[in-house]
Amino acid sequence: MQEILFEPIASFASTLGLLFLLVFSTFGCAVELGSGGPGQDPIDPWGDPPPSDDDDTTDDDDTTDPSDDDDATDDDDTTDDDDTTDPSDDDDTEPPGDPCAGLPICDGFESSVAGGQPDSSTWSIETPNCSGDGQAIVDDSVARSGDKSVRFEGSGGYCNHIFIAPTASISALGDVVYGRFYVRFGQVLGPEHVTFAAFADQTVNKDVRMGGQSQILMWNRELDDATLPVLSPTGIALSVSPSADSWTCIEFAIDGPAGTLDTWVDGQWVEGLNIDDTPSPDIDSQWHNGGGWQPSLIDARFGWESYGGTAANLWFDDIALAGDPIGCLD
């Protein structure tokens, strides 16, 4: 009887154990399959769904719109910096001085029209005795100061000369005439005689001329063709040779009653270009041979004149004449 009762119970227990194992196995698989990645807590398959990873960006209050950043929009360091000023507003910047201030005869050719001749109210065009193909043209591509100068284009031969002369008389300057001009040669001076400045002496009705010969600066007296310096090797060495394509400042002083002449080039007195009261070999001895020289200047001309076949282009700027020393410009 006991064996009969035990068998159903054993069979029921066995069935219950198999059912328990089946349930446990199913639950364990579900837990294993719902686990997070390595190092993460298991996820309850019957719990609330996990938060979406997208919420990290959409709901993250720590991430702000850069456009709302007051530090970027209110940065006055670049837009309102009062330390940055326009140099054109600087009151300490002064315009360059007038190169003709206080000078009775002076011109830098700024009022003349480029491509034409110098202002006729200040200058006249002169071609003494004859005229040829020489030209005097206001040039706005080359200047010593300002924007303009006068370019002279001269061919070889006397009649191809071209000069400009101030309309104001230089006789009003007094017994001593001081001059200053800037000249720019398109080529170095050659061996032939040329003139680029001339001053009429009414005592003999001839010119005192400044120019070049033997590749140096020299003076020449039209009356007897005396030269300053004497064109000997020693005399030539006592003058100077201007460079081409650069501005040269030339100053002079002619004292009529004293019969003296002095010349400065770029601010330096030139020994070979002076006349004093004592004849000096190789310098002013020819000048003294003609007797007492006491010029009375009434006219000044600047330009180009060739007594051989030499042609040239040269420029003048900042021409000034006065009764007192003038000096080169800074």
Side-chain angles (χ1 to χ4, degrees), residues 12 19 30 45 64 70 123 125 129 138 152 175 211 231 282 292 298 304:
F12 176 79
L19 181 61
T64 58
D70 291 339
W123 301 96
I125 302 296
N129 303 316
V138 177
F152 292 88
D175 291 336
L231 297 178
D282 299 303
I298 58 172
W304 177 256

Side-chain angles (χ1 to χ4, degrees), residues 213-226:
Q213 191 169 353
S214 300
Q215 300 178 311
I216 61 165
L217 291 179
M218 50 87 74
W219 288 87
N220 170 256
R221 187 166 58 190
E222 185 186 10
L223 177 65
D224 57 3
D225 208 30

Side-chain angles (χ1 to χ4, degrees), residues 97-101 103 106 144-145 180 182 249 251 317-319 326-330:
D98 182 0
C100 290
L103 296 172
C106 181
R144 166 56 181 80
S145 68
R180 191 271 330 277
Y182 281 86
C249 176
E251 301 170 88
D317 202 359
D318 298 316
I319 299 174
I326 302 170
C328 295
L329 299 170
D330 294 332

Side-chain angles (χ1 to χ4, degrees), residues 66-155:
S67 64
D68 296 332
D69 187 352
D70 291 339
D71 291 339
T73 57
D74 296 334
D75 185 2
D76 293 334
D77 291 340
T78 57
T79 58
D80 299 327
D81 187 359
D82 292 336
D83 293 335
T84 302
T85 58
D86 185 349
S88 64
D89 296 333
D90 188 354
D91 293 336
D92 294 334
T93 302
E94 297 181 358
D98 182 0
C100 290
L103 296 172
I105 299 176
C106 181
D107 196 9
F109 306 103
E110 297 305 300
S111 63
S112 299
V113 178
Q117 294 181 338
D119 186 347
S120 60
S121 66
T122 306
W123 301 96
S124 62
I125 302 296
E126 295 193 5
T127 57
N129 303 316
C130 58
S131 62
D133 60 9
Q135 298 185 68
I137 304 169
V138 177
D139 191 343
D140 62 357
S141 66
V142 177
R144 166 56 181 80
S145 68
D147 298 318
K148 300 171 186 174
S149 66
V150 175
R151 182 179 76 250
F152 292 88
E153 300 175 357
S155 301

Side-chain angles (χ1 to χ4, degrees), residues 176-245:
V176 183
V177 175
Y178 293 87
R180 191 271 330 277
F181 60 89
Y182 281 86
V183 62
R184 181 186 179 102
F185 298 100
Q187 59 286 309
V188 296
L189 295 171
E192 296 182 334
H193 184 199
V194 298
T195 291
F196 50 79
F199 308 91
D201 177 5
Q202 69 176 353
T203 60
V204 293
N205 203 27
K206 295 290 184 179
D207 287 341
V208 178
R209 304 181 291 202
M210 186 181 195
Q213 191 169 353
S214 300
Q215 300 178 311
I216 61 165
L217 291 179
M218 50 87 74
W219 288 87
N220 170 256
R221 187 166 58 190
E222 185 186 10
L223 177 65
D224 57 3
D225 208 30
T227 64
L228 178 74
V230 175
L231 297 178
S232 64
T234 301
I236 290 171
L238 294 174
S239 186
V240 295
S241 301
S243 301
D245 299 321

